[in-house]
Amino acid sequence: MSADRSTPPTLLDLSTYLLSRVGKAARGLLAERLAERGLRLWDMAALAALADFGPHAQRDLAIRLGVDPSDMAKAVDQLAAAGYVDRARDMADRRRVSVSLAPAGRAVLADLDAEARAVQDKVLEPLDAKERQLLQGLLLRVHEGLADVGG
């Protein structure tokens, strides 16, 4: 993504504007790569959450990821149909569905992570390794601060 001369300097002076533009470009590139596999960003997020945090009640997974429960149900249905997740009724509460990562889901997540890192490398190409590390640290601090502003 290169800044063109048509972007108003007032906007180029806003970090939030730049974050939005960079984020939109990165999201679009990653979404294209995931779509080639019939997956969406939320699918990758669900697989990553299950890999990082273990099995979840389907509703709790939706809350963790900030996804509408009905949208999460559709995503889990698709992931289960592809063999990426396993679902089981909670024996303590038959209304709850527990979702866990299947071996095929772990394998596809590794591929998706490689795709995401390739997109990241492309987007961050203008930065050297030290600058990327600095940016990562700064973005983590900003991300952690979002909890204080309701994000």
Side-chain angles (χ1 to χ4, degrees):
M1 182 187 101
S2 64
D4 62 51
R5 297 187 192 279
S6 65
T7 303
T10 300
L11 295 178
L12 293 175
D13 195 40
L14 292 171
S15 296
T16 50
Y17 174 80
L18 295 173
L19 284 168
S20 174
R21 289 295 306 262
V22 171
K24 183 178 179 182
R27 182 182 178 97
L29 290 170
L30 182 54
E32 286 175 18
R33 289 187 179 212
L34 295 178
E36 291 170 6
R37 297 170 177 268
L39 297 170
R40 296 160 304 167
L41 293 166
W42 287 120
D43 297 324
M44 183 177 177
L47 294 173
L50 294 171
D52 291 346
F53 301 115
H56 274 63
Q58 185 171 295
R59 184 164 193 71
D60 294 341
L61 185 60
I63 291 167
R64 177 181 288 279
L65 297 175
V67 178
D68 182 88
S70 64
D71 291 337
M72 181 55 64
K74 291 174 196 168
V76 168
D77 286 346
Q78 291 174 337
L79 292 170
Y84 298 146
V85 300
D86 295 317
R87 290 182 293 194
R89 289 277 172 203
D90 185 326
M91 293 316 218
D93 182 350
R94 300 290 296 163
R95 295 170 295 175
R96 291 172 54 103
V97 174
S98 179
V99 183
S100 59
L101 192 62
R106 192 168 302 283
V108 79
L109 180 59
D111 292 342
L112 298 178
D113 183 67
E115 293 282 354
R117 291 182 187 282
V119 167
Q120 177 174 282
D121 286 344
K122 180 177 178 133
V123 171
L124 299 180
E125 190 173 23
L127 304 179
D128 65 28
K130 188 173 181 178
E131 290 169 325
R132 289 180 187 202
Q133 187 176 12
L134 176 62
L135 177 63
Q136 179 70 17
L138 293 171
L139 288 173
L140 276 172
R141 282 181 41 205
V142 170
H143 182 268
E144 289 165 359
L146 290 177
D148 297 334
V149 294

